[in-house]
Structures are given as structure tokens and as C-alpha cells.
Amino acid sequence: MSIPLYDSGIASGLLSGILFGYALEAAGFGSPRKLTGQFTLRDFSVFKVMFTAVIVCAVGLYVLRTMGWMGPAAVFIPTLFFWAILLGGVFIGAGFAVGGYCPGTSVVGVASGRIDAVVFAIGMVLGTSVFAWVFDPIKDFYLAGQGPTAQTLPQLFGLPEWVILLALIIIAAVGFRLGTILERSRGGPFTAEEVCAPDDEADDFALTSANARG
Amino acid sequence: MRDAPKAFWSPLAAGTALGLALLLTFVVTGHGLGASGFVTRFAAQANDWVAPQATADNSYFGPFMAAGSPLLSWITWEVVGVLIGAWLGAKGAGRISVKVERGPRTSSGNRLVYALLGGALVGFGARLARGCTSGLGLSGSATLAVAGFVFLIGFFAAGFAVSMMMRRIWQ
């Protein structure tokens, strides 16, 4: 049996999704206050969870390749289109700060009852549609600054993969330390009690709509 | 009165679980996790319901429609899985919370306007970047792709900048 299995069937999608959703929810990523706490420096969970996951998976892929269980170009590696990917990241960062979610976490928000996540998802469908309708005029920009196909950091810097992995681990460790100090000084991180309790906000909402109805 | 919700996992534990789920996805499918790919397919389908001819002629949505049934795809099942997995986790830990979640100084109405606006920015940005925080930031960076890290630089820079300008939405 060779890996990857290249199985993109229903069962594989459901399995990956269930594990993905369970882990994101356990991290607290169904809550937009916890998520945006990253950018007000009150909660470093986004940075910590993401960096940990990237490192665990990157080390796993490195081990699978080093042991000869997987070929060098066996998994999908995205290609850089510098300007579109940088600006796309800027749009998503801005939309995340304003709207409280990214695409994956909005699904977790919906699953854990957030009405604002449903509205956010409707917004994403609208934004995607706008993109499709202006695609022709921005196509040159969309394709600008193309990098080498499937280029990785070890290739970019001309360093062995283990050096890059070690550098990422050091950056993550420093970020963890710094993050913990910052979030404590700001009264964070957000706990499940704070963001998931059946709090007065839901009552407020009912009250506000009741008042609006007069 | 229901019991207090169970605590979230520590970021290290949740991140490790997420990394292992991602690694398993690479081993099974040869690619990583995503989310905005489903939104794109859903948007193509929704545009087709409203304006079938214009959607078929559209240079971005057209190829999705020409391939037939845009929603019958791995990413759809994955997103259905995310709904199930997140619901199971939230239910089991008493963390289901039906509400408009918002900062203490933001009204529910304003919060929903910000959610719609933010969602639209994210939807547009994900198409421009060819992926989102899951597909590029997480999965791309896990393959050490330069594209993934360029995305993350833009994401964090803009997140901090906009958050600084609009601090009171959440505080």
C-alpha cells in the first residue's frame, strides 16, 4: 500500500471534516470573541493552535518522506501568485477582524449556534459572487507575480528542510511565551464560561427584537 | 439552569489534534483541509439558481457549472463533516450557545451588519488568494509552501491593522 491513498470519496471527506470540526470547536474557535481576541492581543489561541498544527503536520510529512514511505511531490503544494495571495490574505484578515470568523471557523460557529456565523456565511457567498462577476477585469492582477511551481521554504532559502522546521519551532516557542504574557496582561484568554455560557446576550437579543416589534 | 460549559482544550492540545487530523487528511487524500472551496461551489450553484445562463457564461463560475453538479465534491462532504464534528464536540461539552455573539458595546443589529460585511470581504479575499485560512494558511503552510506563508503575512498584518482601527466592535 502506498501513501497517499488519493481517496477523495464521501467517507474520506466526512472523516477529515469531523476531526477538523471537532478540533476547531475544542480550541474554542466557534466563538468570534475568542477568535478576534488574537488581534486585540487578549487571546493568542489562533496563533498558538495554528502554529502547533502546522508544525505537527509538517514534521509528520517530513518523517513520512524521510522514511521513504511517501514520495517528494506526493501531496498538493500550492503555487505562489504573490500579489493576489498577499492581497487575498489582507482581505481575509480584515474581514476576520470585522466579521469575527474565517470560512472554516464560521462553519464551527454555525454548528455551535451562532446566528452571526450564519449571516457571515451569507456574506461569504455574496463576496464570492462579486469576485466571479469582476473576475475578467482583475484577471491580470490575479495571475501577477507567479512563483516557481509548488515552491517551498527550503527551496526558497536553499536550506535543508530540518533547519526550516527547527526555525519554525523556535518562532512558535517564542510566540507562545510572548503571547501568554500579553494575554495575561489583558485579562485573557477567553474561557468557555465567558463565551459559551447561556448569557444575557441572547436575552438582550430577544428583548431588542421584542422592543423593536413594540 | 444548565451546567457550566466544559473548558476549551489548551491551545497545545487542540493544535496537536488539528495537526494530526491534517496529517491524516494528507495521507488519505493527498491534499489538505479547506473550507472556502465549498463556499465557491455553493456560490456557483446559487448563482445558477438565480441566473443560469449568465452563470454558465461567467468566466469564473462557468467551468464549475460545465463540470456539472458543483456541490458533488469532496469539499462538500468535508464541510458537512465539520458541521457534525463541531456539533458533537459543542454538544458533548455543553458549549452550544444560540445567540448573536458580540462585543459588550455593539448592538445585535450592528453585529449582524459587521458579520455580513466581514463575510463578504472574506469571500472575495478567499477567491483572490485561491484559498483561505484553512486551505492556504494551515494546509499550505504545513507543506512549507511559500504561498502559505505569504498568505499568513497578509492575514495577520491586516487583522492587526483593522482590529486597531475598529477596536470597539469587540471590546
Side-chain angles (χ1 to χ4, degrees), chain B residues 53-120:
Chain B
Q53 191 55 50
T55 306
D57 293 341
N58 180 268
S59 53
Y60 197 79
F61 283 151
F64 285 100
M65 299 317 298
S69 311
L71 289 174
L72 285 182
S73 162
W74 183 87
I75 194 78
T76 302
W77 298 110
E78 188 239 57
V79 168
V80 170
V82 172
L83 276 172
I84 296 171
W87 184 83
L88 285 174
K91 188 80 187 161
R95 292 195 290 252
I96 301 265
S97 184
V98 180
K99 63 178 173 186
V100 175
E101 191 173 337
R102 58 195 166 85
R105 281 172 230 166
T106 305
S107 73
S108 293
N110 282 347
R111 166 68 186 118
L112 294 182
V113 171
Y114 290 136
L116 191 74
L117 189 69

Side-chain angles (χ1 to χ4, degrees), chain A residues 35-107:
Chain A
L35 289 163
T36 54
Q38 177 62 63
F39 293 135
T40 53
L41 305 180
R42 183 177 166 179
D43 194 317
F44 268 69
S45 299
V46 170
F47 174 88
K48 289 177 176 176
V49 171
M50 192 148 189
F51 248 77
T52 306
V54 163
I55 288 169
V56 165
C57 183
V59 169
L61 291 172
Y62 175 69
V63 169
L64 289 176
R65 276 193 305 263
T66 311
M67 304 296 279
W69 294 333
M70 205 173 77
V75 300
F76 172 73
I77 299 170
T79 295
L80 180 67
F81 290 84
F82 184 82
W83 293 108
I85 288 185
L86 185 68
L87 194 68
V90 164
F91 271 89
I92 295 182
F96 183 108
V98 173
Y101 301 97
C102 64
T105 50
S106 73
V107 180

Side-chain angles (χ1 to χ4, degrees), chain B residues 4-157:
Chain B
K6 288 205 186 96
F8 295 128
W9 293 8
S10 78
L12 199 60
T16 304
L18 184 58
L20 292 174
L22 180 57
L23 183 62
L24 181 74
T25 303
F26 272 116
V27 166
V28 173
T29 68
H31 56 74
L33 295 160
S36 67
F38 168 75
V39 178
T40 308
R41 289 164 178 278
F42 184 84
Q45 185 62 69
N47 276 265
D48 178 65
W49 287 327
V50 178
Q53 191 55 50
T55 306
D57 293 341
N58 180 268
S59 53
Y60 197 79
F61 283 151
F64 285 100
M65 299 317 298
S69 311
L71 289 174
L72 285 182
S73 162
W74 183 87
I75 194 78
T76 302
W77 298 110
E78 188 239 57
V79 168
V80 170
V82 172
L83 276 172
I84 296 171
W87 184 83
L88 285 174
K91 188 80 187 161
R95 292 195 290 252
I96 301 265
S97 184
V98 180
K99 63 178 173 186
V100 175
E101 191 173 337
R102 58 195 166 85
R105 281 172 230 166
T106 305
S107 73
S108 293
N110 282 347
R111 166 68 186 118
L112 294 182
V113 171
Y114 290 136
L116 191 74
L117 189 69
L121 282 170
V122 167
F124 189 92
R127 270 9 299 146
L128 196 56
R130 300 161 173 80
C132 60
T133 335
S134 316
L136 266 176
L138 181 65
S139 307
S141 297
T143 64
L144 302 183
V146 177
F149 289 92
V150 168
F151 172 88
L152 284 180
I153 290 168
F155 172 77
F156 276 101

Side-chain angles (χ1 to χ4, degrees), chain A residues 2 5 14 26 45 47 51 60 100 109 136 142-143 153 165 185:
Chain A
S2 69
L5 309 175
L14 286 173
S45 299
F47 174 88
F51 248 77
D136 283 331
Y142 182 73
L143 296 169
L153 292 183
L165 291 173
S185 73

